[in-house]
């Protein structure tokens, strides 16, 4: 059903944002982090605070989606649960669309960030 598709694509969006959180917070400064975000080692000290701030943003987006899915599946406060799910999905989508339109060199990661939550929003609208 559309609800199942919405929950699955929303969960995928949450997992992607949990991975981004891990990169920005726990893998900060690693070779994978530097390669993923195209950060020079010399710039790491100046960028630690902004990336840790972004990590918190990504963590909260993922937790909001997961809370919304959980409450919807448990049939607890359906309207609140749906609102809790829609808000981070819309934010994730908007951030990915913004990145896509403003940074042509980041179009692939922008699509990774934007497509799953967009699909979840479409499925929720059709459910």
């Amino acid at each position: 059903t559309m609800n199942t598709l919405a929950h699955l694509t929303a969960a995928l969006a949450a997992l992607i944002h949990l991975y981004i959180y891990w990169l920005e917070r726990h893998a900060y400064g690693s070779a994978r982090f530097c390669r993923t975000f195209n950060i020079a080692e010399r710039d790491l000290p100046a960028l630690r605070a902004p990336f840790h701030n972004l990590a918190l943003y990504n963590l909260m987006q993922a937790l909001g989606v997961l809370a919304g899915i959980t409450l919807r599946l448990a049939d607890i406060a359906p309207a609140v649960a749906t609102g809790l799910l829609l808000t981070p999905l819309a934010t994730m989508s908007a951030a990915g669309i913004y990145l896509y339109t403003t940074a042509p060199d980041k179009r692939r990661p922008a699509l990774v960030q934007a497509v799953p939550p967009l699909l979840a929003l479409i499925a929720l609208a059709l459910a």
Side-chain angles (χ1 to χ4, degrees):
T1 69
M2 281 296 150
N3 275 323
T4 302
L5 180 61
H7 292 157
L8 288 173
T9 52
L12 176 60
L15 289 174
I16 290 167
H17 280 73
L18 286 172
Y19 176 68
I20 296 168
Y21 159 76
W22 177 82
L23 275 175
E24 293 171 341
R25 180 71 176 111
H26 300 287
Y28 186 84
S30 70
R32 178 180 289 188
F33 170 86
C34 291
R35 185 175 56 253
T36 300
F37 295 105
N38 196 26
I39 304 292
E41 199 171 317
R42 69 181 177 280
D43 297 328
L44 289 172
L47 295 174
R48 180 178 301 277
F51 268 96
H52 285 184
N53 181 271
L54 288 169
L56 182 60
Y57 154 81
N58 283 298
L59 175 63
M60 298 313 293
Q61 296 301 314
L63 293 177
V65 167
L66 295 174
I69 292 170
T70 301
L71 292 174
R72 282 174 55 92
L73 290 174
D75 200 26
I76 298 171
V80 172
T82 299
L84 189 57
L85 184 57
L86 290 174
T87 302
L89 289 174
T91 304
M92 290 171 175
S93 300
I97 291 166
Y98 179 81
L99 183 62
Y100 186 90
T101 59
T102 60
D105 63 319
K106 303 274 189 275
R107 289 210 165 134
R108 185 172 181 260
L111 290 172
V112 169
Q113 181 180 10
V115 170
L118 279 173
L119 292 174
L121 288 170
I122 291 167
L124 283 169
L126 296 174

